Amino acid sequence: MTDKLLKRLPVRVGDCVIGTGEIIVQSMTNTDTSDVQKTVEQIYQLWQAGSKLVRITVDKEEAAAAVPEIIDRLGAAGCTVPVIGDFHYNGHTLLTKYPECAKKLAKYRINPGNVGFGKKKDSQFAEIIEIAKKYNKPVRIGANWGSLDQKLLAKMMDENSLLPEPLVANKVMEEALILSALNSADQAQELGLGADKIIISCKVSTVQALVSIYKSLASRCTYPLHLGLTEAGMGSKGIVASTAALSILLQIGIGDTIRISLTPEPGQSRTQEVIVAQELLQSMGLKSFAPMVTACPGCGRTTSSFFQELAQKTTQFIRKKMPEWRLKYPGVEDMNVAVMGCIVNGPGESKHADIGISLPGTGEAPSAPIFIQGKKTQTLRGKNIADEFLTIMDDFVQSNYGK
C-alpha cells in the first residue's frame, strides 16, 4: 500500500457537492420512517443543528410510501436538506414498486453484504443501479464488517491459508471489506453508473481497523469517502472512540463526509451526533460551525459552581441562537468566547477571546470584568451577572458580524 492520497471525484447530492475538500456532516434519523410526523420533525431538528445530509431507513413498504410526503413537508417548511434512503435486503423491490420514493430521495445507500444473496445478488444490485441511472441519483456503496459478504470472506480466508506466510485473520477481513466495496463500485460502473455518482464507505467499530482500512481505500480509489466508526457506543465512549479514529484520518486529508454514530442516552436529542461531529471538525481547525466556548476546568480556587453554570448557560444560549445567527450574522461561527473562574488565568484567557468574562474565585471580590476584543469594557456585579453577560454577547454579535 502506498500512502499517496488520490484526488476525489466530486459527487453532487442535492445541494451538496461531496469530494471538493469541504468536509460535510451527515446524520441519520432513528424514527420509524412510516411515522411521517416524527420523521419530519427529527430531520428538521438535525438540519437546524447543522446536518447537511440526513439518512433515513427505508426498510418496508410503509416507509417507502411515506418518503414523498416526508420530503414534501420538509420543503414546505423551508428545509431543503438532501434526504438519503438506507436500503438493505429489499431495496430493489421498494425502489421499483415506489417510484416516487426513488425520485424524491437525493441518494441511495446500499450494502454490498446484503443487497442480495446467491444467484440473486448480481441481479438485485443491477436493479438498484438501473433505477439510480434512471433518476440520476448517486449511490453510496457502504460495506460494514457486521454484514460483510461471507462468500467473499470465506474465499479470501481459504486463499490466505495457502500462502507461505498467511496474514492474520483481521487483516484478511479488512481487505475483504475493501474489496467488497471497490468490486461493487466497479460493477456499478460496468452497469453504466458514472464514477461521479459513487461514494464509498467501509465501516468497522474499532479505531485501528478503521484507520488502516481508510488509508488503503484513499490510495486505491478516487471515490469520495464517507467516514464513521460504526456502533461507536454511548456517551463518552462513543465520542472518544469516534474522535480518535476520525481525527487521525482527517488530519491526513482522508474523509469527505462524516457521521458520529452515537447511541443516544435516554431522553437525549438525536442532534447530539451532529454537535459532536461539528465540534470535532472545529476543534481541529478544519471548519467552523458555532462560537467555541473556552472554560476553565475549575480547581480549589473555584469551589462555587457559578462559573460552571455560566459556562453551561452560555453554551446552551449559543446553540439556541445559532439558527438565527447563522442566517443574520455570517462569520459569527468563528467567534471565541471565554468563561473563566478566577483571576489566575481568567483575565488573560478573556483577552485572547473575542468576548470573555472572568468570574471571581472563592474569596475574591464579587466582581466580573468583561473583555471585548482584548480590552476590558466593564465590570458586572450582583445577582444577574449571567443574564447580563449573555445580553452583552448578543449585542456584540449584532454589532460585529454580518455587515
Side-chain angles (χ1 to χ4, degrees):
M1 185 194 80
T2 176
D3 288 332
K4 183 179 180 182
L5 305 182
L6 300 177
K7 187 176 181 181
R8 307 294 113 190
L9 285 173
V11 175
R12 178 172 289 280
V13 181
D15 293 334
C16 288
V17 181
I18 301 170
T20 61
E22 178 187 3
I23 301 162
I24 294 170
V25 173
Q26 181 172 320
S27 58
M28 185 175 185
T29 60
N30 61 356
T31 59
D32 181 345
T33 304
S34 62
D35 187 329
V36 172
Q37 184 60 31
K38 285 185 177 179
T39 303
V40 168
E41 288 174 357
Q42 192 171 88
I43 293 172
Y44 192 88
Q45 291 165 4
L46 291 166
W47 174 67
Q48 283 275 287
S51 184
K52 296 296 184 182
L53 299 169
V54 178
R55 182 159 49 110
I56 62 175
T57 297
V58 187
D59 58 340
K60 54 190 176 183
E61 293 198 17
E62 293 84 354
V67 166
E69 184 178 355
I70 289 169
I71 295 174
D72 287 347
R73 283 201 197 180
L74 289 168
C79 175
T80 57
V81 66
V83 177
I84 301 160
D86 192 57
F87 296 95
H88 298 272
Y89 305 108
N90 60 353
H92 62 295
T93 300
L94 296 177
L95 287 168
T96 300
K97 189 170 181 179
Y98 295 90
E100 285 304 308
C101 168
K103 292 177 187 177
K104 293 280 187 178
L105 290 170
K107 184 176 76 172
Y108 312 149
R109 185 272 172 131
I110 57 177
N111 185 335
N114 58 34
V115 71
F117 301 96
K119 296 179 180 179
K120 294 182 178 180
K121 179 178 180 179
D122 287 347
S123 63
Q124 292 178 183
F125 179 83
E127 284 184 58
I128 295 175
I129 298 304
E130 287 302 319
I131 293 169
K133 287 165 51 184
K134 180 178 180 180
Y135 298 118
N136 196 31
K137 304 294 182 180
V139 175
R140 171 155 71 93
I141 297 174
N144 190 303
W145 75 346
S147 50
L148 182 56
D149 185 333
Q150 293 302 301
K151 184 178 178 181
L152 174 63
L153 180 60
K155 176 177 179 291
M156 291 181 64
M157 285 291 188
D158 289 342
E159 292 172 350
N160 181 65
S161 67
L162 300 176
L163 296 175
E165 296 183 13
L167 299 173
V168 294
N170 68 306
K171 288 299 178 184
V172 179
M173 183 279 299
E174 290 178 13
E175 182 63 15
L177 195 65
I178 292 168
L179 287 180
S180 178
L182 293 183
N183 289 347
S184 293
D186 288 344
Q187 185 180 359
Q189 286 199 69
E190 290 170 3
L191 291 166
L193 187 68
D196 63 343
K197 295 292 183 185
I198 298 172
I199 298 160
I200 292 287
S201 67
C202 289
K203 289 193 173 182
V204 294
S205 57
T206 63
V207 172
Q208 296 299 342
L210 193 80
V211 172
S212 174
I213 287 167
Y214 273 87
K215 281 184 175 180
S216 181
L217 266 180
S219 67
R220 292 163 64 174
C221 74
T222 58
Y223 307 114
L225 301 178
H226 173 71
L227 297 187
L229 195 72
T230 190
E231 289 93 38
M234 180 180 284
S236 60
K237 187 272 178 184
I239 294 171
V240 170
S242 293
T243 300
L246 270 60
S247 61
I248 294 171
L249 294 166
L250 292 168
Q251 186 67 25
I252 58 176
I254 297 174
D256 300 283
T257 64
I258 66 169
R259 182 189 172 210
I260 306 295
S261 299
L262 294 180
T263 303
E265 295 182 8
Q268 185 182 68
S269 171
R270 189 66 166 179
T271 58
Q272 180 67 12
E273 67 175 49
V274 178
I275 293 168
V276 172
Q278 292 174 335
E279 291 181 347
L280 167 60
L281 294 176
Q282 190 153 349
S283 295
M284 293 183 69
L286 298 174
K287 190 174 181 180
S288 295
F289 296 92
M292 295 291 278
V293 178
T294 299
C296 69
C299 65
R301 300 179 66 92
T302 56
T303 53
S304 168
S305 64
F306 182 70
F307 89 93
Q308 300 165 343
E309 293 163 2
L310 178 56
Q312 181 183 53
K313 196 170 183 178
T314 301
T315 300
Q316 292 172 343
F317 178 79
I318 289 171
R319 287 178 183 164
K320 182 179 178 180
K321 296 290 287 187
M322 270 312 292
E324 173 193 345
W325 284 356
R326 191 180 294 117
L327 294 175
K328 291 184 177 180
Y329 309 112
V332 70
E333 61 274 7
D334 293 313
M335 182 174 75
N336 292 309
V337 181
V339 177
M340 303 302 293
C342 78
I343 60 171
V344 175
N345 294 317
E349 283 283 2
S350 295
K351 288 177 183 177
H352 293 318
D354 293 301
I355 181 170
I357 183 170
S358 180
L359 295 168
T362 304
E364 296 170 10
S367 61
I370 301 295
F371 295 85
I372 294 179
Q373 295 178 330
K375 296 180 180 180
K376 180 180 173 181
T377 59
Q378 63 194 101
T379 299
L380 303 181
R381 294 180 174 86
K383 297 181 180 180
N384 297 317
I385 287 176
D387 290 337
E388 289 178 26
F389 176 63
L390 296 182
T391 299
I392 292 168
M393 182 169 61
D394 197 22
D395 291 341
F396 175 75
V397 169
Q398 294 180 41
S399 299
N400 289 272
Y401 295 95
K403 295 183 179 179

